Amino acid sequence: FPLTNAPDADADSIDDYIDAYPDNTNRAFNNPYPGEGQYASLAFEDLWPSRGDYDFNDLVINYNYNPITNANNLVTALEARIKVRAIGASFHNAFGVQLNIPQDKIASVSGQRFSTNILNVRANGTELNQSSAVVFFFDDAFSILPYPGSGVGINTNEEAPYVEPVEVTVTITFTEPVSLAQLGPAPYNSFIVVDGRREVEIHLPGESPTDLADTSLFGTGDDDSDIASAKYYMSDDNLPWALNIPMNFEYPEEKRVITNTYLNFDQWAVSRGSQFNDWYEDKSGYKNITFVYRR
C-alpha cells in the first residue's frame, strides 16, 4: 500500500520506493522478458532460401528485451540486451529488429555497434528507406565475438577454443509513449541480414520482411513463402530458418542437423507448433545430447 507522504522525487505519482527511475518522469517500471537477469534465445540458419546444413548455429544469441514504461504503463523506451554466443558460419551477419511503430516515433538509439558501411542510418538510429522503425544492434557478428584462431566459426566446434559470449546493450527511446499491446511481445520482429547483402533478410517464421528485403527470393530454393497468405520464411513442410526459444538454447554442434539433435523438432515444425511445442526442453527422449555443442 502507498506510504503516507512517501518521497516522489520526479513527481510522476509513483512513489520512489517502487519507481525504478525515481528521477525520471518518463520512466517508472521495467518489464524485462523473459525476466530480470534472464535470457531467451534466437538461432539462425543463414543459407536461406536454401536449407543449408540446418544445424541452427550460424548465429546464436541470447536476448533480454525490457520495455520501460511510465506512470501510465505506456512504453517510453526499449532496452535490448543482446548476447552473441555462437557464429557457426563464415558469413558476416547483421542483427536487428523491425518494430510495429513508424520510424519517426523513435527519438534516439544508443549502443549500436557498426563496423561496416552496409547500413544507411538516420540521425535517430533507425534505418533509412523504411516505413516501420528498423533498428540494427550490430552490422557484423564477427566484430562482436572475436574469432579464436582455429575451428569453423566461433563456439560451434568443441575442439576449438571457447570464446566468452559478448553482450551489446542498445536503448531505443520513443518520441511519444506507445502501449505494450502496440509494441507487441518480445522478441518482436528480430532478423538478420546475411553477409553484407542488405536485401537478404532472414526472419522468424511468419514474420514479414522489411521494406528493403528482396521478395523475389521468396519461393526459390527450399523456401515456400507466399506473400498472399502471409506465409514467410518457411519451407513447404513448414521448416523455419530462424528459431525463438524462451530459454537458453543448447544449440547443435557444427554440421549436426537439428532434426537429428532435437528428435521432436520435425513434428513441431510440420504441425506449425501444435505438437511438441516444448521440443527444445531437456526431457527424456527429446534430444541426442552427443550432438549438442559443449564448451
Side-chain angles (χ1 to χ4, degrees), residues 137-155:
F137 303 130
F138 55 82
D139 60 4
D140 179 2
F142 277 102
S143 71
I144 307 299
L145 197 63
Y147 181 65
S150 64
V152 177
I154 306 170
N155 294 344

Side-chain angles (χ1 to χ4, degrees), residues 74-214:
L74 295 173
V75 183
T76 58
L78 177 64
E79 183 182 74
R81 297 184 181 274
I82 305 299
K83 189 180 296 185
V84 182
R85 293 176 58 204
I87 307 172
S90 60
F91 287 168
H92 291 246
N93 298 321
F95 174 76
V97 65
Q98 178 173 231
L99 298 175
N100 189 35
I101 58 175
Q103 64 81 18
D104 60 2
K105 300 302 182 186
I106 303 299
S108 65
V109 181
S110 65
Q112 292 166 295
R113 297 275 295 272
F114 295 150
S115 61
T116 73
N117 59 1
I118 68 167
L119 303 173
N120 295 311
V121 178
R122 296 181 181 87
N124 70 352
T126 64
E127 188 176 31
L128 281 166
N129 302 314
Q130 301 277 16
S131 51
S132 296
V134 174
V135 176
F136 281 91
F137 303 130
F138 55 82
D139 60 4
D140 179 2
F142 277 102
S143 71
I144 307 299
L145 197 63
Y147 181 65
S150 64
V152 177
I154 306 170
N155 294 344
T156 61
N157 290 103
E158 293 177 3
E159 64 273 13
Y162 179 74
V163 180
E164 285 293 335
V166 176
E167 184 168 282
V168 175
T169 300
V170 173
T171 301
I172 305 168
T173 303
F174 303 150
T175 60
E176 59 187 54
V178 301
S179 69
L180 285 162
Q182 180 180 354
L183 190 62
Y188 314 107
N189 189 350
S190 294
F191 69 102
I192 63 172
V193 164
V194 178
D195 204 29
R197 292 173 290 160
R198 180 58 194 84
E199 73 281 5
V200 182
E201 300 180 359
I202 300 177
H203 294 247
L204 290 162
E207 293 285 0
S208 60
T210 80
D211 294 341
L212 296 183
D214 181 2

Side-chain angles (χ1 to χ4, degrees), residues 7 61 64 74 77 115 164 196 213 251 289:
I61 69 171
N64 180 295
L74 295 173
S115 61
E164 285 293 335
Y251 54 88
I289 194 69

Side-chain angles (χ1 to χ4, degrees), residues 264-279:
N264 298 311
F265 180 90
D266 247 342
Q267 295 180 70
W268 166 78
V270 170
S271 70
R272 284 190 139 179
S274 65
Q275 297 179 31
F276 291 105
N277 59 10
D278 60 351
W279 61 267

Side-chain angles (χ1 to χ4, degrees), residues 5 12 25 77 81 123 135 161 186 197 206 208 222 229 256 260 264 268:
N5 297 321
D12 64 354
T25 56
R81 297 184 181 274
V135 176
R197 292 173 290 160
S208 60
D222 296 309
S229 61
R256 298 297 192 182
N260 295 331
N264 298 311
W268 166 78

Side-chain angles (χ1 to χ4, degrees), residues 51 53-56 239 252-253 255-266 279 285-292:
R51 178 183 168 114
D53 56 15
Y54 220 61
D55 53 14
F56 276 94
L239 292 174
E253 194 178 15
K255 303 300 182 185
R256 298 297 192 182
V257 179
I258 196 169
T259 52
N260 295 331
T261 308
Y262 285 91
L263 306 181
N264 298 311
F265 180 90
D266 247 342
W279 61 267
Y286 269 44
K287 66 182 174 184
N288 181 350
I289 194 69
T290 62
F291 284 2
V292 172

